[in-house]
Amino acid sequence: MLSPPPIPSIITRSSIKAGGIAGLSTDVALFPLDTLKTRLQSKAGFRASGGFRGIYFGLGPAAVASAPGAALFFCTYESTKKILGVHVLSNYQPVVHMTAACMGEVVSSVVRVPLELAKQRRQAQLYQSSIKVFQDILKNEGFRGLFRGYFSTVAREIPFSVIQFPLWEILKKWWSQRQGYYVDSWQASLCGAFAGGFSAALTTPLDVAKTRIMLAERTDSLAKGSITSAMKVVYKQHGIPGLFAGVMPRILWISIGGAVFLGIYEKVKTIICSQRGFDF
């Protein structure tokens, strides 16, 4: 069989563990690239936001969000695939993957967004500590302020995942058919690298808008969270190049991250399932 057979509820437990380990490993290892991308996209500019100095500022919130965020995503992704997959013809499986990815992003962003706010504001050197970020947000904007950028994050992640995950699944299926057996974890990594880099390039303007919204002063009109307004402001100030600010670090970060993240995810999930008597 060229694709993994249906697996019972163990898939949910293995997805939580595999997703958590993969997310934490990737985000910590590639954090400097994420910092460079954020600084290139900030209103103040790369140098004013710190340049190459302090490239690990904000690592704490990123590390805290990684495991639960990734675990929630993959738990939702795999569960949705399992539920919908049995009711859909094989020709329409990419639609299932798209739907599953969208659901995963909506759920996981609830955990990611508050910590993403703290991470990016530390990366742009707007604050000296993550605790101070949370204190200021709660004092000036209330609990709702912790989720500023939630909709812009989801609006960025859904198109990204709608491209990345079906492409990843298609590449794995194609490779499996070519070689006659299901792909190994390193092959899944390469598929993830291509799918991630391609998706990252296409969705960079949405990422720029999300960054501007999260870094905006609370009195700034961008703080309202409108992606359209943010993109208009960036375009007016910097034109098309502004909408693709940080595109190379983003592609590099997500390509390598896609390889590491999805490769580790496949490997850990395979190990966990194999230990319990299931074989991929």
Side-chain angles (χ1 to χ4, degrees):
M1 183 173 287
L2 300 183
S3 59
I7 297 176
S9 59
I10 188 175
I11 192 69
T12 301
R13 297 195 298 274
S14 66
S15 295
I16 291 173
K17 294 178 182 178
I21 292 170
L24 182 61
S25 303
T26 304
D27 285 349
V28 171
L30 302 176
F31 189 78
L33 286 172
D34 184 40
T35 299
L36 297 179
K37 182 215 66 163
T38 296
R39 291 174 178 178
L40 285 166
Q41 293 177 347
S42 68
K43 181 179 179 180
F46 182 70
R47 290 189 179 182
S49 297
F52 291 100
R53 303 186 308 275
I55 55 176
Y56 282 97
F57 287 171
L59 178 60
V64 171
S66 289
L72 271 175
F73 174 85
F74 273 111
C75 178
T76 306
Y77 178 71
E78 294 287 0
S79 298
T80 305
K81 273 205 313 180
K82 179 185 173 186
I83 293 169
L84 297 181
V86 295
H87 303 291
V88 177
L89 296 174
S90 59
N91 291 343
Y92 296 98
Q93 285 301 310
V95 177
V96 173
H97 300 151
M98 290 179 186
T99 304
C102 291
M103 292 298 296
E105 294 299 351
V106 169
V107 173
S108 63
S109 290
V110 173
V111 171
R112 288 173 176 166
V113 168
L115 292 160
E116 179 81 0
L117 271 170
K119 181 200 76 173
Q120 288 208 303
R121 292 182 185 186
R122 285 286 289 124
Q123 287 176 322
Q125 297 193 352
L126 299 179
Y127 289 85
Q128 293 302 310
S129 75
S130 299
I131 293 176
K132 182 63 175 173
V133 176
F134 290 123
Q135 288 176 337
D136 276 8
I137 290 174
L138 291 172
K139 179 181 178 181
N140 297 315
E141 301 179 58
F143 183 77
R144 185 178 179 181
L146 293 174
F147 292 91
R148 187 213 290 185
Y150 174 81
F151 291 108
S152 61
T153 299
V154 171
R156 176 199 67 177
E157 294 294 352
I158 285 180
F160 176 83
S161 293
V162 161
I163 299 168
Q164 181 191 32
F165 282 90
L167 181 56
W168 180 51
E169 300 281 4
I170 288 169
L171 290 172
K172 287 193 300 176
K173 182 179 179 180
W174 173 80
W175 203 333
S176 297
Q177 291 175 337
R178 284 292 298 270
Q179 65 187 9
Y181 56 90
Y182 189 66
V183 291
D184 294 324
S185 57
W186 69 269
Q187 294 169 322
S189 291
L190 293 181
C191 294
F194 179 82
F198 182 74
S199 306
L202 293 181
T203 57
T204 296
L206 295 171
D207 187 52
V208 172
K210 191 273 301 181
T211 297
R212 287 297 190 94
I213 289 168
M214 286 191 162
L215 296 182
E217 296 285 344
R218 63 188 180 89
T219 55
D220 193 318
S221 61
L222 292 183
K224 295 179 181 179
S226 171
I227 289 184
T228 303
S229 297
M231 291 178 70
K232 284 181 178 178
V233 168
V234 173
Y235 178 75
K236 185 176 180 179
Q237 293 174 342
H238 305 290
I240 294 296
L243 292 173
F244 285 89
V247 65
M248 292 312 297
R250 177 169 163 79
I251 290 174
L252 186 59
W253 167 48
I254 295 181
S255 292
I256 299 173
V260 175
F261 184 81
L262 297 175
I264 290 177
Y265 173 73
E266 285 279 331
K267 185 65 175 179
V268 173
K269 191 173 71 171
T270 301
I271 291 172
I272 292 172
C273 291
S274 297
Q275 288 175 345
R276 287 164 173 76
F278 295 95
D279 187 15
F280 277 86

